[in-house]
Amino acid sequence: MKFFVINSFRTMIYVAYIAIIVSGIGLGIYNAGEWSGQVLGLGGGFAQVVDFLVFSFAGWVIASLICGLIVTLLDIRDDINDRLPDARLDD
């Protein structure tokens, strides 16, 4: 059972990592150069490419931070559970 629980957490992290990156890419496509046009003063197709690259990179960074934090917190919780005394009575 422990095997399935550990692998389900790992799968959850993989799915969340990919989903966050894809949502960043989708946001870059959805903006269609508006962000680059307003902030950087770019226009045309180059602004769309810059938006795509910026939001893709931001999605990757945010996914790394969020999923890294989740894995770290789960590892800390696991270490705390290993150090706690067993509550069951030994007969």
Side-chain angles (χ1 to χ4, degrees), residues 8 11 16 28 35-36 40 42 44 54 62 66 74 80-81 86 91:
S8 67
T11 304
W35 181 81
S36 297
L40 302 175
L42 300 174
V54 166
I62 291 169
I66 290 173
L74 288 173
I80 290 172
N81 285 338
D86 196 0
D91 290 327

Side-chain angles (χ1 to χ4, degrees), residues 22-82:
V22 168
S23 64
I25 291 170
L27 188 59
I29 293 171
Y30 176 75
N31 273 338
E34 291 180 23
W35 181 81
S36 297
Q38 292 175 357
V39 175
L40 302 175
L42 300 174
F46 185 66
Q48 291 178 349
V49 171
V50 170
D51 267 2
F52 177 76
L53 293 175
V54 166
F55 283 104
S56 298
F57 181 74
W60 173 66
V61 169
I62 291 169
S64 298
L65 291 173
I66 290 173
C67 293
L69 181 64
I70 291 171
V71 168
T72 302
L73 292 175
L74 288 173
D75 189 46
I76 290 171
R77 183 196 61 130
D78 187 45
D79 288 344
I80 290 172
N81 285 338
D82 288 344

